[in-house]
Amino acid sequence: MKIAIINGPNLNLLGTREPDLYGSQTFEQYLVSLERQYPNVNFSYFQSNIEGELVGELQRVGFDHDGIVLNPAAYTHTSVAIGDAIAAIRTPVIEVHISNVHAREEFRRISHVSAKCKGTIAGLGLRGYELAVVFFLNAD
Ligand code: DQA
């Protein structure tokens, strides 16, 4: 089972970035616990602050992985290119948001990726990533 986790802009600052919204754990710390919990899963992790690099990574993993867990961060609300990339690949994508984007500013309710994804998890903190993994592990 190969699962790719892809994080968009500013998520490299998790742990220090607005901890009230995003928590105080770095993603690297969280990933270690996830890898320990699911030793049979082969995880890859990619983070970028650059839209085109996120498109490139989706294309790279999108034909041979079993699942992609994607938090496009602010690009969720702006990026037609990331939405198109999800539609163009074969691997199913689950969109994850740490915060509840529906309970925040109006512009965060718009997603250019949701309609292309298998599903969306928002507002459950970092646990959202694990729940997406659990879905892929139990998917047909
Ligand atoms: C986010 C929500 C986005 O609106 C925001 O731009 C982010 C993080 C989340 O995980 O809650 O950077 O995707």
Side-chain angles (χ1 to χ4, degrees):
M1 171 69 64
K2 278 165 77 170
I3 295 181
I5 299 177
I6 302 178
N7 272 342
N10 299 306
L11 294 173
N12 54 314
L13 297 182
L14 283 180
T16 52
R17 175 193 181 196
E18 299 182 88
D20 290 352
L21 274 174
Y22 300 117
S24 52
Q25 212 178 6
T26 69
F27 197 80
E28 287 71 17
Q29 287 167 341
Y30 177 72
L31 190 58
V32 168
S33 63
L34 199 59
E35 284 172 332
R36 274 205 200 112
Q37 227 175 319
Y38 298 95
N40 297 329
V41 176
N42 185 351
F43 288 104
S44 68
Y45 176 57
F46 181 84
Q47 188 279 328
S48 177
N49 296 323
I50 299 168
E51 185 177 17
E53 289 186 357
L54 296 164
V55 169
E57 182 67 4
L58 284 164
Q59 293 181 3
R60 190 185 75 79
V61 298
F63 295 91
D64 69 343
H65 279 55
D66 301 294
I68 298 172
V69 184
L70 171 68
N71 184 345
Y75 286 136
T76 307
H77 318 299
T78 62
S79 180
V80 173
I82 290 176
D84 282 354
I86 296 167
I89 61 179
R90 263 203 302 271
T91 301
V93 177
I94 297 180
E95 175 190 4
V96 169
H97 298 286
I98 298 164
S99 66
N100 182 353
V101 283
H102 301 286
R104 298 178 63 190
E105 302 94 325
E106 191 74 34
F107 72 86
R108 292 187 205 274
R109 294 190 194 163
I110 294 164
S111 170
H112 289 278
V113 309
S114 294
K116 313 286 161 67
C117 289
K118 184 87 185 157
T120 300
I121 298 169
L124 304 183
L126 288 172
R127 280 211 65 200
Y129 292 84
E130 186 200 339
L131 294 169
V133 168
V134 167
F135 175 84
F136 285 130
L137 286 172
N138 294 297
D140 304 329

